[in-house]
Amino acid sequence: MNDIRTRLLAAFDLEHKEHLAAIRESLRAVEKDPAHHPDLVEIHRRAHSLKGAARAVDLPEVERLSHWLEAAFIAIQRGDVPFDAAARDVVRRALDAIEDVVAWATRGGGAVDIAEVLAALTRMGGEGGGPEPVQRRPAAAEAGAASPAAAPRPARSVDASEGAALVRIRSAGLERLFTAAAGLLPEIENQSALVAELRELRGEWRALERSWHAMRPRLLRGGSHDATGAAGISFAGDETALRLSSFERRFRALGASLDAAHRAHDRHLWSLRRWGSGFQDEVRQLRMLPAESQFSNLGRMIRDISRAQGKEVEADIRGLETQADRVVLQRLKDPVLHIARNAVSHGVETPQERVAAGKRAAATVRFEASVVGRRLVLRVEDDGRGPNREAIARHAVERGLLGAEEAESAPEERLLDLIFEPGFSTAPTANEYAGRGMGLAIVRREVTRLQGSVTLAAREGGGTVVTLEVPLSLLSQRLVFVAVQDDILAIPSNDVARVLRTPADTLFTDLAAPTIRLEEEDVPVTPLAALLGYDGAMPQGNGAPLALVVLRTGGRRVALVVDALMATRDSVVTPAEEVGIDAARFLGTVLMDDGSPALVLNPAALSPRPGMALPPLVRPVDESARRRPHILVVDDSITTRTLEKSILEAHGYRVTLCVDGREAVETLGELEDVNLIISDVEMPRMDGFALLQAVKGNPMTSDLPVILVTSRASDEDRERGLDLGADAYIVKTRFDQNELLAGIRRLL
């Protein structure tokens, strides 16, 4: 029986939303055009169908509300009750109550009080309501109900463990399964490298075979053909011939085994790709949930806030069936709720203001979820007053974000982008819902951490549109690998519009910023190295083709110049939080074939803000770049030293790498401009403590600051390092970028 009720409730959940949406659409049509005549018969039919469906799933409160809603529309059809603003408000509140009761009954939460709205419906319906629906309540429940307006009884919520096909598992275990599945496909793809190696080995074997055939006659001399006439080695008692015969058999057997291994690996790789890809897709689907799981109560929240502020707002919620990664939806819930609160508090006018402006009294706040390509797009729009350009410009000048003349001529896109600055608010006073100026800054920060973008724009016809765009999933991603100076970096392919190579003379360089013409659009061009703060010269325009990666984020495109386009492949990204790097600039790291990490760039951080000046395409080497601090990084772990090098260079430092203390001492003897040493402690040949002693004991390097970065966290090790002269001792329970950079800035 429980399984049957589960299925019935699931079907009713879909059906009641369809009926409510149709009735609300009729209300909107009347409010937009008072001369419009709604199909009251159709509305009456939907209320009647809703009542019958509620009776079938044993939701008596919904049945009673639907009964009196039906009665109210009968009275309106007869002309007993005018279908004016007051009547529409009662109907809208009844629809909200039905929606809230269904949500409470199926998903739990606080009880819903339907007394007031039920009384208003009863007054509208009058005698047309007929007898009350029969209540199927236990005797004890009837005794406890003082009136037909009593609060609804709790209905048993649908528990996932009740369905025969559903099980309850720990979320941590599910996350580990997701991680394992995400790591499977890239590892399968890495097997492709073995195919190339096997092919190379076969080529080498063929070359050896040809050499053997050329050498064999000279080695054998007195050899002969066998009885079959085939080339071979005589066994006429010659020990050398016997040894060579054995070698030839083994050599040929090795070739046959190599061929068989190659064919078997091809078959296994094909099978692994087939089943591994399918497994990852299935696991990814386990992680996908409909947007309704996080935003089902958004409409109710919008209506509650509007009533509390004395405003009339209708919530139009669409696309809740859209599916995305559970973690993505969870992290977007608070940003969307804040944007919706802003829409009601800042964007929507009071009914009196709207009527005076020629608008209908009730405003609309619309939320829509959709999928475009492999990205989730959430839109929150209202038909309110829209952004106040003058107030934004004035506040920007007051805060020093823009000059007075700049504010007057700034394009609207740049002004609206300033709204996301921390502490920026044009509200005259702050209240419990908005006005402190921190909410939208937090929204942008969270969306950026999700590899996404958020934009705010004026809505055509009046109002505001806020658009959030993020990846559908944060599991294994398709990455484009590029070379920038000595580093390999990765960019999510979802944000890459295209890659291309083009001669430098095809760029338009007579504009404020170099551009390239792509699909009838002038796209600005800038070096990725300059955006990341790397030292060194930019491309000099020597005639060699430029390698470009065209990014598209936040509705804007920018072409990044890189040193080389390396490869495109699926990889598992270790989140920035887990490796301690700046999540605003980097999404995390991925492991390369040699075990070294590559930083995964955050495209939202690379895309220039409106009005932002881009670095020049060509920049000659100057002495100021050479004078930037030079840091010696000493660590036997290729992962650690590569990661540290990438981060330090991205923050403007020059870096030289050493694998242990002995190499560091030798390097210090060759270099004269090292400004600081960052060293691990546990290393072969010469550890960090010995290196520290050597540096501090040499008069030529005794003043050189040394930072020990190690996993040895004991007080004894810390005291030993400081006693030997270490200027800082950082325990790396995980690599903490901010702590390391702070220590460097303090010492330099």
Side-chain angles (χ1 to χ4, degrees):
M1 291 298 293
N2 286 335
D3 188 47
I4 294 175
R5 177 161 170 75
T6 298
R7 292 199 296 268
L8 287 175
L9 279 172
F12 177 76
D13 193 41
L14 295 175
E15 181 182 358
H16 96 282
K17 290 175 182 176
E18 180 183 345
H19 291 315
L20 297 187
I23 297 173
R24 283 174 173 148
E25 185 60 37
S26 297
L27 296 180
R28 279 195 293 270
V30 173
E31 290 170 340
K32 289 179 180 178
D33 181 9
H36 175 75
H37 297 288
D39 188 346
L40 296 175
V41 174
E42 173 65 11
I43 298 175
H44 170 207
R45 182 192 69 77
R46 287 191 175 275
H48 182 79
S49 298
L50 190 59
K51 179 174 68 174
R55 180 183 299 116
V57 294
D58 191 25
L59 291 178
E61 291 74 27
V62 176
E63 183 183 353
R64 297 176 69 199
L65 287 166
S66 303
H67 170 82
W68 285 105
L69 185 63
E70 179 186 8
F73 277 107
I74 291 175
I76 293 171
Q77 284 179 270
R78 290 201 308 255
D80 297 341
V81 176
F83 198 33
D84 55 12
R88 293 195 298 271
D89 180 65
V90 172
V91 171
R92 187 178 290 108
R93 288 163 52 205
L95 299 179
D96 290 349
I98 291 172
E99 188 174 59
D100 293 344
V101 170
V102 174
W104 168 74
T106 56
R107 291 184 285 275
V112 181
D113 185 5
I114 64 173
E116 183 179 349
V117 66
L118 193 58
L121 278 177
T122 304
R123 289 193 295 271
M124 283 182 63
E127 294 181 359
E132 282 269 13
V134 177
Q135 302 299 306
R136 295 167 304 287
R137 293 176 181 267
E142 291 182 355
S147 71
R153 65 175 176 81
R156 189 179 183 192
S157 62
V158 181
D159 194 311
S161 63
E162 295 179 3
L166 301 178
V167 295
R168 185 191 298 273
I169 64 174
R170 294 183 181 274
S171 61
L174 191 58
E175 289 297 329
R176 287 194 295 271
L177 176 62
F178 293 151
T179 302
L184 177 61
L185 192 57
E187 289 303 318
I188 293 174
E189 289 301 318
N190 289 339
Q191 296 298 309
S192 300
L194 288 179
V195 174
E197 292 179 15
L198 285 171
R199 187 177 296 113
E200 185 176 348
L201 287 175
R202 290 178 69 195
E204 290 292 330
W205 187 88
R206 297 297 183 196
L208 288 174
E209 185 181 36
R210 289 192 296 271
S211 298
W212 165 250
H213 283 301
M215 293 170 56
R216 182 174 54 180
R218 294 195 297 271
L219 290 173
L220 298 178
R221 292 195 178 125
S224 63
H225 289 76
D226 60 20
T228 65
I233 300 173
S234 172
F235 298 119
D238 187 345
E239 183 178 353
T240 301
L242 289 173
R243 290 181 180 275
L244 290 175
S245 176
S246 175
F247 169 80
E248 185 174 42
R249 286 195 302 271
R250 293 172 64 185
F251 184 71
R252 289 179 174 176
L254 175 62
S257 298
L258 189 58
D259 287 341
H262 192 196
R263 289 192 299 270
H265 185 268
D266 279 345
R267 290 194 302 271
H268 294 327
L269 180 58
W270 178 85
S271 182
L272 281 172
R273 282 175 172 167
R274 175 189 176 191
W275 294 107
S277 179
F279 173 62
Q280 190 184 47
D281 289 341
E282 290 297 327
V283 171
R284 183 181 285 113
Q285 288 303 315
L286 286 177
R287 191 175 172 122
M288 304 292 276
L289 291 176
E292 183 182 23
S293 63
Q294 297 298 321
F295 304 117
S296 60
N297 292 326
L298 181 60
R300 176 180 179 180
M301 185 208 75
I302 291 172
R303 293 186 290 269
D304 288 346
I305 293 176
S306 63
R307 289 167 187 159
Q309 297 185 15
K311 299 178 179 180
E312 295 181 21
V313 178
E314 181 176 343
D316 183 9
I317 312 299
R318 303 184 180 188
L320 291 182
E321 72 283 356
T322 301
Q323 293 200 337
D325 189 304
R326 175 178 61 87
V327 175
V328 172
L329 292 173
Q330 287 175 342
R331 290 173 61 177
L332 285 177
K333 181 176 182 179
D334 286 343
V336 168
L337 293 182
H338 180 84
I339 293 170
R341 283 194 296 267
N342 266 11
V344 176
S345 299
H346 292 327
V348 172
E349 314 94 328
T350 64
Q352 296 79 11
E353 291 172 331
R354 292 181 62 84
V355 171
K359 300 180 179 181
R360 62 189 184 96
T364 299
V365 173
R366 173 179 295 173
F367 167 83
E368 183 173 9
S370 61
V371 174
V372 178
R374 297 179 63 183
R375 297 181 75 80
L376 173 67
V377 179
L378 304 180
R379 286 169 54 92
V380 180
E381 64 177 88
D382 64 78
D383 60 353
R385 56 176 63 90
N388 187 332
R389 177 189 168 95
E390 291 73 20
I392 295 172
R394 184 172 59 253
H395 193 63
V397 173
E398 292 172 355
R399 293 196 56 199
L401 298 174
L402 294 176
E405 295 183 1
E406 189 181 11
E408 292 181 3
S409 60
E412 182 173 290
E413 185 182 30
R414 184 178 183 189
L415 283 178
L416 296 183
D417 191 71
L418 294 174
I419 293 176
F420 295 97
E421 291 290 326
F424 196 102
S425 176
T426 59
T429 58
N431 56 37
E432 61 181 306
Y433 300 109
R436 295 173 177 83
M438 295 305 297
L440 286 179
I442 296 173
V443 167
R444 168 165 280 177
R445 184 181 67 186
E446 186 60 39
V447 171
T448 299
R449 289 162 68 94
L450 285 171
Q451 308 170 221
S453 61
V454 55
T455 59
L456 184 146
R459 175 179 175 271
E460 186 177 354
T464 306
V465 180
V466 181
T467 304
L468 294 81
E469 186 177 329
V470 298
L472 276 176
S473 176
L474 297 180
L475 288 174
S476 175
Q477 299 184 57
R478 196 76 173 166
L479 300 174
V480 177
F481 289 85
V482 300
V484 178
Q485 295 188 11
D486 296 329
D487 294 329
I488 304 298
L489 304 172
I491 305 172
S493 65
N494 286 336
D495 297 288
V496 176
R498 61 182 296 187
V499 296
L500 69 154
R501 291 180 176 86
T502 184
D505 56 13
T506 62
L507 304 184
F508 298 97
T509 57
D510 56 345
L511 304 176
T515 61
I516 185 171
R517 191 72 173 174
L518 297 174
E519 290 89 28
E520 304 303 319
E521 178 186 356
D522 290 330
V523 178
V525 180
T526 190
L528 177 56
L531 285 179
L532 296 175
Y534 280 34
D535 289 331
M538 298 301 107
Q540 298 292 323
N542 56 8
L546 296 177
L548 300 180
V549 177
V550 182
L551 292 187
R552 178 188 287 111
T553 59
R556 295 184 291 273
R557 294 201 295 178
V558 61
L560 305 178
V561 181
V562 299
D563 292 342
L565 303 168
M566 305 298 293
T568 301
R569 71 176 190 185
D570 288 319
S571 299
V572 179
V573 179
T574 301
E577 294 84 353
E578 293 186 19
V579 290
I581 59 178
D582 184 4
R585 304 183 70 187
F586 307 106
L587 302 177
T589 61
V590 294
L591 287 181
M592 306 295 290
D593 292 338
D594 62 359
S596 64
L599 290 173
V600 182
L601 301 174
N602 190 340
L606 296 177
S607 181
R609 298 275 184 256
M612 171 183 170
L614 293 174
L617 182 63
V618 177
R619 189 181 72 193
V621 178
D622 57 20
E623 289 304 315
S624 63
R626 296 184 187 276
R627 288 195 297 269
R628 289 192 178 184
H630 186 182
I631 297 176
L632 194 68
V633 172
V634 189
D635 201 301
D636 62 321
S637 167
I638 185 175
T639 299
T640 301
R641 64 175 182 266
T642 306
L643 184 61
E644 290 179 352
K645 177 179 183 290
S646 299
I647 293 171
L648 293 174
E649 286 184 336
H651 283 80
Y653 299 105
R654 289 186 294 134
V655 178
T656 298
L657 298 179
C658 297
V659 298
D660 57 31
R662 182 175 298 178
E663 184 181 354
V665 171
E666 295 170 354
T667 302
L668 285 173
E670 300 171 357
L671 300 176
E672 298 180 355
D673 62 344
V674 174
N675 302 108
L676 182 140
I677 299 174
I678 299 173
S679 177
D680 188 18
V681 169
E682 297 178 275
M683 296 180 292
R685 298 204 300 174
M686 179 184 285
D687 66 13
F689 291 138
L691 171 62
L692 184 58
Q693 284 180 302
V695 170
K696 296 301 181 179
N698 185 342
M700 301 295 294
T701 58
S702 59
D703 294 334
L704 199 60
V706 178
I707 298 177
L708 294 181
V709 181
T710 176
S711 58
R712 297 170 66 163
S714 69
D715 292 338
E716 180 181 353
D717 286 325
R718 182 188 298 271
E719 290 176 4
R720 182 184 176 190
L722 296 176
D723 289 343
L724 289 173
D727 297 272
Y729 192 99
I730 298 175
V731 178
K732 56 175 181 181
T733 51
R734 64 173 191 173
F735 181 79
D736 191 331
Q737 169 184 327
N738 295 327
E739 183 179 0
L740 179 62
L741 291 173
I744 293 172
R745 287 192 293 268
R746 177 174 57 83
L747 294 173
L748 294 180

